Structures are given as C-alpha cells and as structure tokens.
Amino acid sequence: QVHLVESGGGLVQAGGSLRLSCAASGRPISIYAMGWFRQAPGKEREFVCGISWSGGSTSCADSVKGRFTISRDNAKNTAYLQMNSLKPEDTAVYSCATDVRPWGSGSSAGAYDNRGQGTQVTVSS
C-alpha cells in the first residue's frame, strides 16, 4: 500500500505562486500515473492535473491550463504541482493520488485512489 503526503500549501495573494509536493512511501510509484485533485467547501472534488507514469504526458483541467504544471521525479518518489497566477477561486484542499492501474496516461479518466490527506491552499483577493 502506498502512503502519500502532500505539502507546500498555504496562504497567498491573488497572482502569487505555490509549489505543492506529494511524497510517496511504501512502494515505488514509478509505474503509476499520478493526479492532483482539489475540493473547495461545499463543492465536489475535481481533477486538477495528471501525469503519466513516465512523466511524458500531462493533462490539466481547463480552469488551470496555462497556470498550473504537474511534474514528477520518480527517483524521489515524488510528484509536484506548480501553481502560478493563482486566483481566489483556486482556494481548496489539494490532494494527490495514484492510479491503481500501472502504465496510466495521467488523464482525468484514470482510476485514482490511494489519496493523501491534502494540503490547504488559500488565495486572497
């Protein structure tokens, strides 16, 4: 079983940047796609960005395209989410997850599970 721990959240002004990290332990994640999700108060969890097992393919929601970038370092068993030009509507708890099936593409249709506890991101206007 993989254990995921997110970090890097915080309070930032609109237009600012944050870099989230998702550190995995328990087993290597190198053959699994990774995804970042977020959930704002009163809203359903939504897919933010995903990255393929190799890192060669990424996919992001339209609401964050051009502002957020997902990456991974399989040697460090870690995935990242670089968030630029943050907006108040980006405020949410951000969590990461692995695809339960190997060799995934990182699309929003992946079978993501093994979620971490999340890290709070708050963007002030």
Side-chain angles (χ1 to χ4, degrees), residues 19-32:
R19 188 194 194 204
L20 306 183
S21 297
C22 171
S25 61
R27 63 171 166 81
I29 59 169
S30 57
I31 64 170
Y32 299 97

Side-chain angles (χ1 to χ4, degrees), residues 52-92:
S52 65
W53 65 276
S54 66
S57 176
T58 63
S59 175
C60 288
D62 288 343
S63 58
V64 306
K65 278 181 181 177
R67 300 188 298 121
F68 290 12
T69 303
I70 187 172
S71 61
R72 67 188 298 161
D73 185 337
N74 285 340
K76 295 183 178 180
N77 230 27
T78 301
Y80 305 95
L81 185 68
Q82 177 67 44
M83 305 186 296
N84 298 329
S85 301
L86 282 161
K87 304 175 181 180
E89 50 263 44
D90 294 319
T91 295

Side-chain angles (χ1 to χ4, degrees):
Q1 184 74 6
V2 67
H3 180 59
L4 303 175
V5 177
E6 301 90 343
S7 62
L11 174 64
V12 64
Q13 288 188 332
S17 298
L18 285 173
R19 188 194 194 204
L20 306 183
S21 297
C22 171
S25 61
R27 63 171 166 81
I29 59 169
S30 57
I31 64 170
Y32 299 97
M34 297 291 295
W36 281 98
F37 296 79
R38 67 186 181 185
Q39 187 167 19
K43 295 186 177 181
E44 294 187 354
R45 180 183 291 114
E46 63 174 340
F47 174 85
V48 178
C49 290
I51 187 167
S52 65
W53 65 276
S54 66
S57 176
T58 63
S59 175
C60 288
D62 288 343
S63 58
V64 306
K65 278 181 181 177
R67 300 188 298 121
F68 290 12
T69 303
I70 187 172
S71 61
R72 67 188 298 161
D73 185 337
N74 285 340
K76 295 183 178 180
N77 230 27
T78 301
Y80 305 95
L81 185 68
Q82 177 67 44
M83 305 186 296
N84 298 329
S85 301
L86 282 161
K87 304 175 181 180
E89 50 263 44
D90 294 319
T91 295
V93 175
Y94 285 71
S95 61
C96 59
T98 66
D99 194 324
V100 298
R101 302 168 300 191
W103 322 119
S105 67
S107 76
S108 59
Y112 295 99
D113 203 339
N114 302 318
R115 303 180 188 281
Q117 292 299 306
T119 184
Q120 176 70 46
V121 171
T122 303
V123 185
S124 63
S125 57

